[in-house]
Amino acid sequence: MGGEGMGWGISPGAARPDGASGPSCPVFPVPPFRCLPSLRSFHRGVSGPAAMPECPELHLAGRYINEECGALVFSGGVERSAVGRGPEVPFSSEAYRISAAARGKELRLTLTPLESADASQGPPLVLCFIDVRRFGSWRLGDAWEPGRGPCVLSEYQAFRENVLKNLDDKAFDKPICEALLNQKFFNGIGNYLRAEILYRVKIPPFEKARTVLEALKEQEEERTRKNPSLTLSKKLKRMRENPDLLELCHTVPMEIIAAGLFDPADPNNYDAFKGWLRCYLVPGMSNLRDRNGRTIWFHGKPGPMAPKGQAPRKKRTQPKSDRKALTPKVTPRASRRRPRAAAQPPDSAKEEEEEVGDGPRKGRARRRRSVAAAPALSEPEVQVKAERRCRTSARRGRGTAPAV
């Protein structure tokens, strides 16, 4: 089970926790993870394999574990890699099952001992937690991490109320792009989700969070006054047709889950996810680093709280065919040096063409001139030129001498 980035492993086979009381022993791993050898789930993030996942990926990961491991009986203990940073898991059993649940940016595995069960037949299987980039961690306990708010995906109404009733919190003094990463209020939202949400709702990323959310709260109160008896179906219709920022925090992750864009059973669907993105990493979109050092992608103006001294940068892409066609730009001076470096005689005619085409030059290059042999003159032409020089000298010598 050892190896760089390996967290822990569980082998199928049924069980009571070693040194633990109660019928189950919950484990809280934070992905990415991999199931080996038959449960091949390589958790992919938006910037490639093993990137930090967000709530849609964790929801799909939990669903995948339940589907693949639900009929399996595990046995033995939980082995921690020598390079793992998490605590030892004091659990060992002859037979147990594994179930998973996701909430926000957490994934919980529960190991439930069985009184009697036959070990699974077939080749040995191992459920592994692999963290190549060392972003993840795990802990033991039966509760979700304290300090995290309701999940934007599975606890939408509680999430919405938690935000709107705490707008006096100092977290909302920050730009909205930074507030969206605060897991106390936006549990499950990460870097790519915040970019997609703000792009769809057309809010500048560096607008003050309290300003944005207070306006949203006022609009909600106004709608309630006008339509006090608004039915749930009408509310859902309005939510689909004209969603606000908090509603998008729920519906955008749901889109990813419905489309299966991060299905662990299909590790090759990353291209489909890139096609789904509208803003994050999309060519033509601008980006800036927020005060936490995270890159936010957006379209249009960044907003009044944008960091000073930064200019928005745009992502540009060059087709592969064009990249291959490009050649290094060679200046005329470099082209003149190149034949000498290759120990080849210079071509005076080519150098003359380059001088004429490029116009005046600076420094020593301006004084350089190509040298060509002058055509030979006939004897009459030489004599006529000599007589002209004599006449010119005579004219310059005429006149009176200055008075002394």
Side-chain angles (χ1 to χ4, degrees), residues 130-160:
I130 295 182
D131 183 19
V132 177
R133 298 180 68 184
R134 316 297 290 274
F135 280 170
S137 62
W138 67 89
R139 60 188 178 83
L140 306 179
D142 58 357
W144 301 105
E145 183 180 356
R148 288 182 177 268
C151 176
V152 298
L153 199 59
S154 59
E155 304 167 296
Y156 168 69
Q157 197 57 43
F159 148 71
R160 186 181 184 94

PDB file of all heavy atoms in Angstrom, residues 130-160:
ATOM      1  N   ILE A 130      -5.762   8.144  -2.783  1.00  0.00           N
ATOM      2  CA  ILE A 130      -4.468   8.561  -3.330  1.00  0.00           C
ATOM      3  C   ILE A 130      -4.475  10.074  -3.503  1.00  0.00           C
ATOM      4  O   ILE A 130      -5.377  10.635  -4.111  1.00  0.00           O
ATOM      5  CB  ILE A 130      -4.180   7.865  -4.675  1.00  0.00           C
ATOM      6  CG1 ILE A 130      -4.042   6.364  -4.437  1.00  0.00           C
ATOM      7  CG2 ILE A 130      -2.934   8.417  -5.319  1.00  0.00           C
ATOM      8  CD1 ILE A 130      -3.714   5.580  -5.667  1.00  0.00           C
ATOM      9  N   ASP A 131      -3.454  10.708  -2.976  1.00  0.00           N
ATOM     10  CA  ASP A 131      -3.371  12.171  -2.992  1.00  0.00           C
ATOM     11  C   ASP A 131      -2.005  12.561  -3.548  1.00  0.00           C
ATOM     12  O   ASP A 131      -1.071  12.816  -2.805  1.00  0.00           O
ATOM     13  CB  ASP A 131      -3.570  12.702  -1.572  1.00  0.00           C
ATOM     14  CG  ASP A 131      -3.574  14.224  -1.525  1.00  0.00           C
ATOM     15  OD1 ASP A 131      -3.778  14.843  -2.588  1.00  0.00           O
ATOM     16  OD2 ASP A 131      -3.374  14.779  -0.436  1.00  0.00           O
ATOM     17  N   VAL A 132      -1.906  12.616  -4.863  1.00  0.00           N
ATOM     18  CA  VAL A 132      -0.621  12.860  -5.512  1.00  0.00           C
ATOM     19  C   VAL A 132      -0.069  14.231  -5.150  1.00  0.00           C
ATOM     20  O   VAL A 132       1.128  14.399  -4.895  1.00  0.00           O
ATOM     21  CB  VAL A 132      -0.765  12.711  -7.036  1.00  0.00           C
ATOM     22  CG1 VAL A 132       0.543  13.039  -7.736  1.00  0.00           C
ATOM     23  CG2 VAL A 132      -1.217  11.295  -7.385  1.00  0.00           C
ATOM     24  N   ARG A 133      -0.924  15.239  -5.103  1.00  0.00           N
ATOM     25  CA  ARG A 133      -0.468  16.611  -4.860  1.00  0.00           C
ATOM     26  C   ARG A 133      -0.469  16.980  -3.376  1.00  0.00           C
ATOM     27  O   ARG A 133      -0.221  18.109  -3.020  1.00  0.00           O
ATOM     28  CB  ARG A 133      -1.342  17.594  -5.647  1.00  0.00           C
ATOM     29  CG  ARG A 133      -1.238  17.379  -7.157  1.00  0.00           C
ATOM     30  CD  ARG A 133      -2.100  18.341  -7.925  1.00  0.00           C
ATOM     31  NE  ARG A 133      -1.623  19.702  -7.814  1.00  0.00           N
ATOM     32  CZ  ARG A 133      -2.253  20.762  -8.341  1.00  0.00           C
ATOM     33  NH1 ARG A 133      -3.386  20.602  -8.983  1.00  0.00           N
ATOM     34  NH2 ARG A 133      -1.753  21.958  -8.199  1.00  0.00           N
ATOM     35  N   ARG A 134      -0.812  16.044  -2.507  1.00  0.00           N
ATOM     36  CA  ARG A 134      -0.773  16.238  -1.046  1.00  0.00           C
ATOM     37  C   ARG A 134      -1.698  17.359  -0.596  1.00  0.00           C
ATOM     38  O   ARG A 134      -1.400  18.109   0.330  1.00  0.00           O
ATOM     39  CB  ARG A 134       0.663  16.515  -0.573  1.00  0.00           C
ATOM     40  CG  ARG A 134       1.719  15.630  -1.181  1.00  0.00           C
ATOM     41  CD  ARG A 134       1.504  14.166  -0.813  1.00  0.00           C
ATOM     42  NE  ARG A 134       1.783  13.917   0.580  1.00  0.00           N
ATOM     43  CZ  ARG A 134       2.996  13.654   1.057  1.00  0.00           C
ATOM     44  NH1 ARG A 134       4.021  13.607   0.225  1.00  0.00           N
ATOM     45  NH2 ARG A 134       3.191  13.421   2.332  1.00  0.00           N
ATOM     46  N   PHE A 135      -2.867  17.461  -1.259  1.00  0.00           N
ATOM     47  CA  PHE A 135      -3.866  18.456  -0.862  1.00  0.00           C
ATOM     48  C   PHE A 135      -4.814  17.902   0.203  1.00  0.00           C
ATOM     49  O   PHE A 135      -5.413  18.653   0.949  1.00  0.00           O
ATOM     50  CB  PHE A 135      -4.701  18.880  -2.073  1.00  0.00           C
ATOM     51  CG  PHE A 135      -4.032  19.890  -2.966  1.00  0.00           C
ATOM     52  CD1 PHE A 135      -4.580  20.207  -4.193  1.00  0.00           C
ATOM     53  CD2 PHE A 135      -2.865  20.508  -2.578  1.00  0.00           C
ATOM     54  CE1 PHE A 135      -3.973  21.143  -5.022  1.00  0.00           C
ATOM     55  CE2 PHE A 135      -2.242  21.428  -3.393  1.00  0.00           C
ATOM     56  CZ  PHE A 135      -2.797  21.746  -4.612  1.00  0.00           C
ATOM     57  N   GLY A 136      -4.995  16.596   0.205  1.00  0.00           N
ATOM     58  CA  GLY A 136      -6.046  16.007   1.021  1.00  0.00           C
ATOM     59  C   GLY A 136      -5.621  15.702   2.444  1.00  0.00           C
ATOM     60  O   GLY A 136      -4.459  15.785   2.820  1.00  0.00           O
ATOM     61  N   SER A 137      -6.611  15.311   3.227  1.00  0.00           N
ATOM     62  CA  SER A 137      -6.376  14.899   4.613  1.00  0.00           C
ATOM     63  C   SER A 137      -7.551  14.020   5.024  1.00  0.00           C
ATOM     64  O   SER A 137      -8.555  13.934   4.317  1.00  0.00           O
ATOM     65  CB  SER A 137      -6.260  16.114   5.542  1.00  0.00           C
ATOM     66  OG  SER A 137      -7.477  16.853   5.543  1.00  0.00           O
ATOM     67  N   TRP A 138      -7.427  13.347   6.149  1.00  0.00           N
ATOM     68  CA  TRP A 138      -8.545  12.597   6.689  1.00  0.00           C
ATOM     69  C   TRP A 138      -8.522  12.672   8.195  1.00  0.00           C
ATOM     70  O   TRP A 138      -7.485  12.969   8.802  1.00  0.00           O
ATOM     71  CB  TRP A 138      -8.536  11.141   6.198  1.00  0.00           C
ATOM     72  CG  TRP A 138      -7.401  10.297   6.711  1.00  0.00           C
ATOM     73  CD1 TRP A 138      -7.368   9.558   7.858  1.00  0.00           C
ATOM     74  CD2 TRP A 138      -6.133  10.112   6.080  1.00  0.00           C
ATOM     75  NE1 TRP A 138      -6.161   8.925   7.987  1.00  0.00           N
ATOM     76  CE2 TRP A 138      -5.388   9.233   6.906  1.00  0.00           C
ATOM     77  CE3 TRP A 138      -5.552  10.584   4.902  1.00  0.00           C
ATOM     78  CZ2 TRP A 138      -4.087   8.842   6.594  1.00  0.00           C
ATOM     79  CZ3 TRP A 138      -4.273  10.182   4.589  1.00  0.00           C
ATOM     80  CH2 TRP A 138      -3.556   9.324   5.422  1.00  0.00           C
ATOM     81  N   ARG A 139      -9.649  12.437   8.789  1.00  0.00           N
ATOM     82  CA  ARG A 139      -9.763  12.463  10.241  1.00  0.00           C
ATOM     83  C   ARG A 139     -10.822  11.458  10.656  1.00  0.00           C
ATOM     84  O   ARG A 139     -11.612  10.982   9.831  1.00  0.00           O
ATOM     85  CB  ARG A 139     -10.125  13.874  10.746  1.00  0.00           C
ATOM     86  CG  ARG A 139     -11.427  14.397  10.208  1.00  0.00           C
ATOM     87  CD  ARG A 139     -11.669  15.850  10.563  1.00  0.00           C
ATOM     88  NE  ARG A 139     -12.911  16.346   9.984  1.00  0.00           N
ATOM     89  CZ  ARG A 139     -14.095  16.183  10.514  1.00  0.00           C
ATOM     90  NH1 ARG A 139     -14.221  15.522  11.665  1.00  0.00           N
ATOM     91  NH2 ARG A 139     -15.172  16.646   9.927  1.00  0.00           N
ATOM     92  N   LEU A 140     -10.850  11.141  11.931  1.00  0.00           N
ATOM     93  CA  LEU A 140     -11.811  10.187  12.473  1.00  0.00           C
ATOM     94  C   LEU A 140     -12.893  10.927  13.239  1.00  0.00           C
ATOM     95  O   LEU A 140     -12.627  11.928  13.896  1.00  0.00           O
ATOM     96  CB  LEU A 140     -11.108   9.190  13.392  1.00  0.00           C
ATOM     97  CG  LEU A 140      -9.906   8.436  12.789  1.00  0.00           C
ATOM     98  CD1 LEU A 140      -9.298   7.513  13.840  1.00  0.00           C
ATOM     99  CD2 LEU A 140     -10.301   7.681  11.555  1.00  0.00           C
ATOM    100  N   GLY A 141     -14.106  10.435  13.169  1.00  0.00           N
ATOM    101  CA  GLY A 141     -15.198  11.056  13.897  1.00  0.00           C
ATOM    102  C   GLY A 141     -16.512  10.763  13.226  1.00  0.00           C
ATOM    103  O   GLY A 141     -16.575  10.195  12.138  1.00  0.00           O
ATOM    104  N   ASP A 142     -17.574  11.174  13.868  1.00  0.00           N
ATOM    105  CA  ASP A 142     -18.908  10.906  13.335  1.00  0.00           C
ATOM    106  C   ASP A 142     -19.641  12.190  12.968  1.00  0.00           C
ATOM    107  O   ASP A 142     -20.856  12.193  12.781  1.00  0.00           O
ATOM    108  CB  ASP A 142     -19.745  10.098  14.331  1.00  0.00           C
ATOM    109  CG  ASP A 142     -19.878  10.804  15.676  1.00  0.00           C
ATOM    110  OD1 ASP A 142     -19.263  11.876  15.831  1.00  0.00           O
ATOM    111  OD2 ASP A 142     -20.577  10.285  16.557  1.00  0.00           O
ATOM    112  N   ALA A 143     -18.941  13.311  12.895  1.00  0.00           N
ATOM    113  CA  ALA A 143     -19.584  14.588  12.572  1.00  0.00           C
ATOM    114  C   ALA A 143     -18.822  15.254  11.436  1.00  0.00           C
ATOM    115  O   ALA A 143     -17.630  14.999  11.218  1.00  0.00           O
ATOM    116  CB  ALA A 143     -19.615  15.504  13.801  1.00  0.00           C
ATOM    117  N   TRP A 144     -19.513  16.102  10.713  1.00  0.00           N
ATOM    118  CA  TRP A 144     -18.860  16.882   9.672  1.00  0.00           C
ATOM    119  C   TRP A 144     -17.949  17.925  10.306  1.00  0.00           C
ATOM    120  O   TRP A 144     -18.091  18.249  11.486  1.00  0.00           O
ATOM    121  CB  TRP A 144     -19.891  17.567   8.781  1.00  0.00           C
ATOM    122  CG  TRP A 144     -20.826  16.621   8.091  1.00  0.00           C
ATOM    123  CD1 TRP A 144     -22.123  16.377   8.408  1.00  0.00           C
ATOM    124  CD2 TRP A 144     -20.514  15.775   6.978  1.00  0.00           C
ATOM    125  NE1 TRP A 144     -22.657  15.436   7.569  1.00  0.00           N
ATOM    126  CE2 TRP A 144     -21.692  15.052   6.671  1.00  0.00           C
ATOM    127  CE3 TRP A 144     -19.372  15.559   6.212  1.00  0.00           C
ATOM    128  CZ2 TRP A 144     -21.750  14.127   5.631  1.00  0.00           C
ATOM    129  CZ3 TRP A 144     -19.434  14.642   5.167  1.00  0.00           C
ATOM    130  CH2 TRP A 144     -20.606  13.939   4.883  1.00  0.00           C
ATOM    131  N   GLU A 145     -17.035  18.440   9.527  1.00  0.00           N
ATOM    132  CA  GLU A 145     -16.072  19.399  10.061  1.00  0.00           C
ATOM    133  C   GLU A 145     -16.777  20.634  10.595  1.00  0.00           C
ATOM    134  O   GLU A 145     -17.603  21.237   9.885  1.00  0.00           O
ATOM    135  CB  GLU A 145     -15.081  19.809   8.964  1.00  0.00           C
ATOM    136  CG  GLU A 145     -13.994  20.760   9.452  1.00  0.00           C
ATOM    137  CD  GLU A 145     -13.030  21.147   8.350  1.00  0.00           C
ATOM    138  OE1 GLU A 145     -13.158  20.617   7.234  1.00  0.00           O
ATOM    139  OE2 GLU A 145     -12.158  21.988   8.615  1.00  0.00           O
ATOM    140  N   PRO A 146     -16.500  21.036  11.834  1.00  0.00           N
ATOM    141  CA  PRO A 146     -17.152  22.233  12.381  1.00  0.00           C
ATOM    142  C   PRO A 146     -16.685  23.494  11.654  1.00  0.00           C
ATOM    143  O   PRO A 146     -15.563  23.573  11.173  1.00  0.00           O
ATOM    144  CB  PRO A 146     -16.697  22.240  13.852  1.00  0.00           C
ATOM    145  CG  PRO A 146     -15.433  21.450  13.860  1.00  0.00           C
ATOM    146  CD  PRO A 146     -15.568  20.404  12.796  1.00  0.00           C
ATOM    147  N   GLY A 147     -17.553  24.445  11.579  1.00  0.00           N
ATOM    148  CA  GLY A 147     -17.211  25.704  10.919  1.00  0.00           C
ATOM    149  C   GLY A 147     -17.635  25.768   9.462  1.00  0.00           C
ATOM    150  O   GLY A 147     -17.598  26.838   8.856  1.00  0.00           O
ATOM    151  N   ARG A 148     -18.026  24.639   8.890  1.00  0.00           N
ATOM    152  CA  ARG A 148     -18.519  24.654   7.515  1.00  0.00           C
ATOM    153  C   ARG A 148     -20.030  24.859   7.521  1.00  0.00           C
ATOM    154  O   ARG A 148     -20.745  24.280   8.334  1.00  0.00           O
ATOM    155  CB  ARG A 148     -18.186  23.349   6.790  1.00  0.00           C
ATOM    156  CG  ARG A 148     -16.712  23.209   6.456  1.00  0.00           C
ATOM    157  CD  ARG A 148     -16.463  21.918   5.687  1.00  0.00           C
ATOM    158  NE  ARG A 148     -15.063  21.803   5.310  1.00  0.00           N
ATOM    159  CZ  ARG A 148     -14.556  22.220   4.160  1.00  0.00           C
ATOM    160  NH1 ARG A 148     -15.363  22.806   3.275  1.00  0.00           N
ATOM    161  NH2 ARG A 148     -13.285  22.078   3.877  1.00  0.00           N
ATOM    162  N   GLY A 149     -20.495  25.666   6.578  1.00  0.00           N
ATOM    163  CA  GLY A 149     -21.914  25.933   6.490  1.00  0.00           C
ATOM    164  C   GLY A 149     -22.667  24.834   5.776  1.00  0.00           C
ATOM    165  O   GLY A 149     -22.090  23.812   5.376  1.00  0.00           O
ATOM    166  N   PRO A 150     -23.972  25.026   5.577  1.00  0.00           N
ATOM    167  CA  PRO A 150     -24.773  24.040   4.846  1.00  0.00           C
ATOM    168  C   PRO A 150     -24.264  23.871   3.419  1.00  0.00           C
ATOM    169  O   PRO A 150     -23.743  24.799   2.811  1.00  0.00           O
ATOM    170  CB  PRO A 150     -26.186  24.633   4.876  1.00  0.00           C
ATOM    171  CG  PRO A 150     -26.179  25.578   6.037  1.00  0.00           C
ATOM    172  CD  PRO A 150     -24.794  26.126   6.116  1.00  0.00           C
ATOM    173  N   CYS A 151     -24.431  22.680   2.893  1.00  0.00           N
ATOM    174  CA  CYS A 151     -23.968  22.361   1.549  1.00  0.00           C
ATOM    175  C   CYS A 151     -24.829  23.073   0.506  1.00  0.00           C
ATOM    176  O   CYS A 151     -26.065  23.054   0.587  1.00  0.00           O
ATOM    177  CB  CYS A 151     -24.027  20.851   1.334  1.00  0.00           C
ATOM    178  SG  CYS A 151     -23.576  20.323  -0.325  1.00  0.00           S
ATOM    179  N   VAL A 152     -24.171  23.674  -0.480  1.00  0.00           N
ATOM    180  CA  VAL A 152     -24.910  24.380  -1.541  1.00  0.00           C
ATOM    181  C   VAL A 152     -25.704  23.406  -2.395  1.00  0.00           C
ATOM    182  O   VAL A 152     -26.672  23.806  -3.061  1.00  0.00           O
ATOM    183  CB  VAL A 152     -23.948  25.183  -2.431  1.00  0.00           C
ATOM    184  CG1 VAL A 152     -23.217  26.241  -1.629  1.00  0.00           C
ATOM    185  CG2 VAL A 152     -22.955  24.273  -3.151  1.00  0.00           C
ATOM    186  N   LEU A 153     -25.320  22.136  -2.372  1.00  0.00           N
ATOM    187  CA  LEU A 153     -25.945  21.151  -3.249  1.00  0.00           C
ATOM    188  C   LEU A 153     -27.107  20.439  -2.569  1.00  0.00           C
ATOM    189  O   LEU A 153     -28.223  20.411  -3.098  1.00  0.00           O
ATOM    190  CB  LEU A 153     -24.884  20.134  -3.683  1.00  0.00           C
ATOM    191  CG  LEU A 153     -25.164  19.288  -4.908  1.00  0.00           C
ATOM    192  CD1 LEU A 153     -25.378  20.163  -6.131  1.00  0.00           C
ATOM    193  CD2 LEU A 153     -24.014  18.323  -5.148  1.00  0.00           C
ATOM    194  N   SER A 154     -26.862  19.886  -1.385  1.00  0.00           N
ATOM    195  CA  SER A 154     -27.858  19.048  -0.724  1.00  0.00           C
ATOM    196  C   SER A 154     -28.659  19.774   0.351  1.00  0.00           C
ATOM    197  O   SER A 154     -29.649  19.219   0.840  1.00  0.00           O
ATOM    198  CB  SER A 154     -27.170  17.825  -0.101  1.00  0.00           C
ATOM    199  OG  SER A 154     -26.195  18.242   0.843  1.00  0.00           O
ATOM    200  N   GLU A 155     -28.259  20.978   0.727  1.00  0.00           N
ATOM    201  CA  GLU A 155     -28.964  21.733   1.775  1.00  0.00           C
ATOM    202  C   GLU A 155     -29.205  23.171   1.306  1.00  0.00           C
ATOM    203  O   GLU A 155     -28.857  24.127   1.992  1.00  0.00           O
ATOM    204  CB  GLU A 155     -28.148  21.726   3.073  1.00  0.00           C
ATOM    205  CG  GLU A 155     -27.818  20.320   3.575  1.00  0.00           C
ATOM    206  CD  GLU A 155     -26.763  20.330   4.673  1.00  0.00           C
ATOM    207  OE1 GLU A 155     -25.618  20.736   4.388  1.00  0.00           O
ATOM    208  OE2 GLU A 155     -27.092  19.921   5.798  1.00  0.00           O
ATOM    209  N   TYR A 156     -29.807  23.295   0.112  1.00  0.00           N
ATOM    210  CA  TYR A 156     -29.879  24.608  -0.529  1.00  0.00           C
ATOM    211  C   TYR A 156     -30.625  25.637   0.313  1.00  0.00           C
ATOM    212  O   TYR A 156     -30.146  26.765   0.501  1.00  0.00           O
ATOM    213  CB  TYR A 156     -30.535  24.491  -1.905  1.00  0.00           C
ATOM    214  CG  TYR A 156     -30.889  25.842  -2.468  1.00  0.00           C
ATOM    215  CD1 TYR A 156     -29.893  26.733  -2.866  1.00  0.00           C
ATOM    216  CD2 TYR A 156     -32.218  26.258  -2.555  1.00  0.00           C
ATOM    217  CE1 TYR A 156     -30.207  27.989  -3.345  1.00  0.00           C
ATOM    218  CE2 TYR A 156     -32.539  27.508  -3.043  1.00  0.00           C
ATOM    219  CZ  TYR A 156     -31.532  28.374  -3.431  1.00  0.00           C
ATOM    220  OH  TYR A 156     -31.846  29.613  -3.893  1.00  0.00           O
ATOM    221  N   GLN A 157     -31.781  25.303   0.819  1.00  0.00           N
ATOM    222  CA  GLN A 157     -32.571  26.295   1.550  1.00  0.00           C
ATOM    223  C   GLN A 157     -31.847  26.762   2.812  1.00  0.00           C
ATOM    224  O   GLN A 157     -31.822  27.962   3.122  1.00  0.00           O
ATOM    225  CB  GLN A 157     -33.940  25.714   1.913  1.00  0.00           C
ATOM    226  CG  GLN A 157     -34.976  26.766   2.300  1.00  0.00           C
ATOM    227  CD  GLN A 157     -35.212  27.812   1.230  1.00  0.00           C
ATOM    228  OE1 GLN A 157     -35.319  27.490   0.047  1.00  0.00           O
ATOM    229  NE2 GLN A 157     -35.264  29.081   1.631  1.00  0.00           N
ATOM    230  N   ALA A 158     -31.235  25.839   3.542  1.00  0.00           N
ATOM    231  CA  ALA A 158     -30.469  26.210   4.735  1.00  0.00           C
ATOM    232  C   ALA A 158     -29.247  27.045   4.340  1.00  0.00           C
ATOM    233  O   ALA A 158     -28.878  27.993   5.048  1.00  0.00           O
ATOM    234  CB  ALA A 158     -30.042  24.963   5.504  1.00  0.00           C
ATOM    235  N   PHE A 159     -28.630  26.712   3.223  1.00  0.00           N
ATOM    236  CA  PHE A 159     -27.487  27.492   2.724  1.00  0.00           C
ATOM    237  C   PHE A 159     -27.904  28.927   2.423  1.00  0.00           C
ATOM    238  O   PHE A 159     -27.234  29.888   2.824  1.00  0.00           O
ATOM    239  CB  PHE A 159     -26.926  26.815   1.475  1.00  0.00           C
ATOM    240  CG  PHE A 159     -26.335  27.756   0.459  1.00  0.00           C
ATOM    241  CD1 PHE A 159     -25.133  28.419   0.695  1.00  0.00           C
ATOM    242  CD2 PHE A 159     -26.997  27.988  -0.739  1.00  0.00           C
ATOM    243  CE1 PHE A 159     -24.602  29.301  -0.244  1.00  0.00           C
ATOM    244  CE2 PHE A 159     -26.470  28.857  -1.684  1.00  0.00           C
ATOM    245  CZ  PHE A 159     -25.275  29.523  -1.438  1.00  0.00           C
ATOM    246  N   ARG A 160     -29.023  29.093   1.740  1.00  0.00           N
ATOM    247  CA  ARG A 160     -29.479  30.433   1.373  1.00  0.00           C
ATOM    248  C   ARG A 160     -29.791  31.269   2.609  1.00  0.00           C
ATOM    249  O   ARG A 160     -29.395  32.435   2.708  1.00  0.00           O
ATOM    250  CB  ARG A 160     -30.704  30.320   0.466  1.00  0.00           C
ATOM    251  CG  ARG A 160     -31.184  31.642  -0.109  1.00  0.00           C
ATOM    252  CD  ARG A 160     -32.411  31.460  -0.990  1.00  0.00           C
ATOM    253  NE  ARG A 160     -32.782  32.719  -1.592  1.00  0.00           N
ATOM    254  CZ  ARG A 160     -32.404  33.138  -2.795  1.00  0.00           C
ATOM    255  NH1 ARG A 160     -31.616  32.378  -3.522  1.00  0.00           N
ATOM    256  NH2 ARG A 160     -32.807  34.312  -3.252  1.00  0.00           N
TER     257      ARG A 160
END
